[in-house]
Amino acid sequence: MQLDHQLTKPPTAGLARRLGTAVRVYTGVSPALIAVGLAFLYPTALLIWLSFTDPQPGLGNYTAIFSDSLAMTVIARTLRMAGTVTVVTALLAYAYAYVMTAVGARMRAVMLVLVLMPFWTSLMARTFAWVVLLQERGPVDDLFSLTPIGSVELLGTTTGVTIAMTQVMMPFFVLPLFASLRGIDRRLIDAALGMGARPIVAFFKVYLPLSLPGILAGAAMVFTLSLGFYVTPELLGTPRESMVARLMASKVDPLLQFGAAGALAVVVLLITLALLGVILTVLRVRGGVETTGGSK
């Protein structure tokens, strides 16, 4: 009887049920979609439109970027600075996240609070704090003066900007990396050691590859966010440390070249999308390799 009922069931009933489910789902998420559209998609589309139409239609803004030595220098400097900050943050965050997985629950909570503290402090306040710390005859300079290294000049240098940016970016690397490291079964390391591998070999052959998704997620987030830094290089650096955000601001105020600024924003967006594409490709290839290896 049940089989006969299913056979006599109208074929459109399943389609209607799926359509009803889809309508309920889209109705539930529509406020979020509208908010994303108004806050992100519309401004992005407007910037892209201006980059091709202001002051006149065509590719003039893009050809101007690639023919302007100053713009290319600033873009290269921005990429170099973002890459440096990403590498430094990765080294510090990996050690910090690894310790978080090895300590007890209470100490882990303390370390989590410490890494989240930058989220609870204004970026301007943190930047001015670094100005005080890194200035000549400041606390950092006085500390180095007590060592054989002697006095160091950090304020107004690339090193000083890198230090401050790294401190800002640490939470964005530590949190996804900690989530990845926490899911690694440490018995795999013990198994490698039991098979005769040295600890350093077990780390690079077993532990590090398993933590690659967390590393790539943190690197993508830190690199992408570092491309848009404005306040920190402006206050801690000199014009030699200015990044692409500062160049965009100079195009808008006082020059009112919205199309040129939009073209710069599109170039940065394309660089970010290319980076994300590379990371997704690496993860997809790695996932395919692991699946193939596991099926043997």
Side-chain angles (χ1 to χ4, degrees):
M1 291 294 293
Q2 185 177 1
L3 180 60
D4 294 340
H5 176 72
Q6 292 178 354
L7 291 176
T8 58
K9 191 176 182 179
T12 58
L15 178 61
R17 185 170 57 253
R18 289 194 295 269
L19 288 176
T21 302
V23 169
R24 287 194 297 271
V25 170
Y26 283 111
T27 301
V29 301
S30 57
L33 294 177
I34 294 173
V36 170
L38 293 176
F40 178 74
L41 296 180
Y42 173 72
T44 302
L46 182 59
L47 276 177
I48 295 174
W49 173 260
L50 289 175
S51 70
F52 287 103
T53 60
D54 183 47
Q56 57 186 7
L59 299 175
N61 290 318
Y62 293 93
T63 57
I65 290 176
F66 293 104
S67 61
D68 185 1
S69 59
L70 174 61
M72 296 304 297
T73 300
V74 172
I75 292 175
R77 180 191 300 142
T78 301
L79 295 175
R80 184 173 62 252
M81 181 70 74
T84 302
V85 171
T86 301
V87 172
V88 175
T89 307
L91 295 175
L92 297 176
Y94 200 99
Y96 195 92
Y98 180 83
V99 173
M100 287 181 66
T101 62
V103 298
R106 182 174 299 180
M107 188 62 190
R108 185 181 301 121
V110 174
M111 295 182 69
L112 184 61
V113 170
L114 291 177
V115 80
L116 289 176
M117 284 183 66
F119 285 141
W120 305 333
T121 310
S122 167
L123 177 62
M124 291 295 295
R126 280 179 284 166
T127 304
F128 280 113
W130 279 112
V131 171
V132 174
L133 291 172
L134 301 179
Q135 66 183 343
E136 186 179 1
R137 306 309 304 169
V140 175
D141 189 15
D142 291 341
L143 181 62
F144 275 99
S145 298
L146 301 176
T147 67
I149 298 177
S151 179
V152 294
E153 182 180 354
L154 294 175
L155 187 62
T157 65
T158 302
T159 303
V161 174
T162 301
I163 292 173
M165 289 178 62
T166 299
Q167 188 264 338
V168 175
M169 291 290 102
M170 277 290 288
F172 297 99
F173 211 126
V174 169
L175 296 180
L177 185 57
F178 170 69
S180 178
L181 297 184
R182 194 175 185 182
I184 297 177
D185 191 349
R186 289 183 174 271
R187 291 177 297 181
L188 298 173
I189 305 296
D190 296 334
L193 296 176
M195 296 294 292
R198 292 178 297 174
I200 188 69
V201 175
F203 173 79
F204 281 104
K205 292 291 186 179
V206 179
Y207 197 82
L208 185 61
L210 292 175
S211 63
L212 184 61
I215 295 174
L216 292 178
M221 191 174 299
V222 170
F223 186 85
T224 302
L225 293 175
S226 297
L227 292 175
F229 262 78
Y230 177 84
V231 173
T232 302
E234 189 74 8
L235 295 180
L236 296 178
T238 65
R240 294 190 302 272
E241 284 77 40
S242 63
M243 298 172 63
V244 70
R246 180 68 182 87
L247 184 59
M248 291 182 194
S250 67
K251 297 292 185 182
V252 175
D253 184 17
L255 300 178
L256 299 180
Q257 296 178 355
F258 294 98
L264 284 169
V266 171
V267 170
V268 175
L269 177 62
L270 292 177
I271 293 172
T272 304
L273 293 177
L275 172 67
L276 295 178
V278 170
I279 291 176
L280 290 176
T281 302
V282 171
L283 291 176
R284 188 179 300 114
V285 171
R286 178 172 176 77
V289 171
E290 289 181 349
T291 302
T292 304
S295 62
K296 290 183 179 180

